[in-house]
Amino acid sequence: MTIPAATPAATDPLAPMLMTFAGIAYGKPAAIPHYLGPDTLTAEHWSIVWIADDLAVPVNFAFIAKNASTGAYAIAIRGTYPDPFSSAYWDDANEDSPIGPMHSWPGATDSLAQVAGGTWAGFQSLLALQGAGQSLAQAIAALPATATVYVTGHSLGGTLAPVIALWMSDQPKFPVPSVYAFAGMTPGNAAFAALFGPGTPLAGRVWRYNNTLDTVGYGWDRVLDTRKFYQPAPNGGLLIEGVIGAMALRLLPYGYTGFGTIVALPGVLRTPTMDCEFVAYLLETLHQHMPDTYLALLGASPLPFAIGFGTVVAPRDVPDVVAQTSILHASPTFL
């Protein structure tokens, strides 16, 4: 049975719903089922069918939700763990990194198909996640072969989402998913990108949503496009311009190549409120990358929790019994 792919656009009703899932994945695992309940985009039919265990050092995290009405499944992958005081944050930073030895994609006809070493590490970590004695790989394998499945994630989750989907498409009797990746980076080279191209199971099924003012979505194949990014200001000064140029040069030998359909969400630049251009640039960069910014661009409600600098912040709409736990560890950086 051939599963029809969804039709993407900035107004696609699936996009705000799946970005909501991707954002909710940053929350405390115990609270995630409660987050689904009050949200107008997810409340009607969706419920958790698998969720990763709540670990003290959660390097990666994901959950699977099912729509009781349609039978569709959504696999949501969290981005970088947002607590720089945890080693998980720094492990995730390594998964974000485009630098270092690349890893060949197993089973590819073209032996040159490679992904970043960090992406490969994140992919392996995701598959091994345990939830109530079952790994994510086992949970995905148990999905009906004819099911409609969406894979989504924000930032690091948006980088890993198409990689998980490619693995699924390589497995016999697995459902072939559709991918809605938000603010994700390009994980591999041209030969890897070709695995998503015409004639492949994922052709026409991968949509990469990018706020046009979010620098992260330009990594790692369009880094130079972020020079003098915010016009008229803030631009960060010569230091930022130098770092961008140096990174672009360093990435040239890797040959990172984009794939899928880029869905550009026109960003909205804020007026700087800081006199220091460098600090103003960093704050604007963070704002443009935040999950709530993407949700706003998609016309969706903000997440049921707020994110602050280095703090655990109060949820906006979660039962008290859940609110007494650490809902979200926040940081100044999402990747």
Side-chain angles (χ1 to χ4, degrees), residues 87-292:
S87 61
Y89 175 90
W90 302 104
D91 288 338
D92 283 352
N94 289 330
E95 294 181 8
D96 288 319
S97 175
I99 305 300
M102 299 184 80
H103 195 286
S104 296
W105 185 257
T109 303
D110 188 342
S111 61
L112 296 179
Q114 294 182 317
V115 295
T119 300
W120 179 260
F123 164 65
Q124 292 293 306
S125 175
L126 273 176
L127 291 183
L129 286 174
Q130 294 290 314
Q134 184 183 44
S135 70
L136 176 60
Q138 291 169 330
I140 293 175
L143 299 179
T146 57
T148 296
V149 179
Y150 307 107
V151 187
T152 187
H154 170 267
S155 197
L156 174 59
T159 304
L160 293 172
V163 180
I164 288 290
L166 180 60
W167 169 76
M168 291 176 63
S169 74
D170 287 342
Q171 311 304 313
K173 300 182 180 179
F174 273 41
V176 178
S178 296
V179 179
Y180 282 68
F182 300 91
M185 295 162 283
T186 300
N189 61 11
F192 179 77
L195 301 178
F196 298 85
T200 69
L202 291 175
R205 289 180 172 272
V206 178
W207 302 295
R208 301 170 65 202
Y209 283 74
N210 183 34
N211 171 5
T212 57
L213 294 180
D214 178 11
T215 60
V216 175
Y218 290 79
W220 300 108
D221 56 330
R222 299 178 294 155
V223 172
L224 274 181
D225 289 353
T226 65
R227 295 177 65 194
K228 303 185 184 303
F229 205 42
Y230 302 131
Q231 294 294 335
N235 279 301
L238 293 177
L239 175 60
I240 293 297
E241 189 168 345
V243 168
I244 291 172
M247 177 60 80
L249 286 174
R250 191 173 184 187
L251 291 174
L252 281 176
Y254 293 91
Y256 285 105
T257 304
F259 55 84
T261 300
I262 299 293
V263 182
L265 303 175
V268 179
L269 185 64
R270 302 182 303 173
T271 301
T273 58
M274 300 282 295
D275 292 333
C276 177
E277 186 177 24
F278 177 74
V279 174
Y281 174 88
L282 294 180
L283 291 174
E284 188 65 20
T285 298
L286 171 62
H287 167 74
Q288 296 294 343
H289 187 56
M290 294 290 277
D292 276 347

Side-chain angles (χ1 to χ4, degrees), residues 57-58 62 70 110 197 333:
V57 184
T70 66
D110 188 342
T333 306

Side-chain angles (χ1 to χ4, degrees), residues 18 21-23 25 61-65 74-78 126 150-153:
L18 292 169
F21 282 132
F61 179 80
F63 67 84
I64 302 176
I75 303 170
I77 304 169
R78 194 203 68 209
L126 273 176
Y150 307 107
V151 187
T152 187

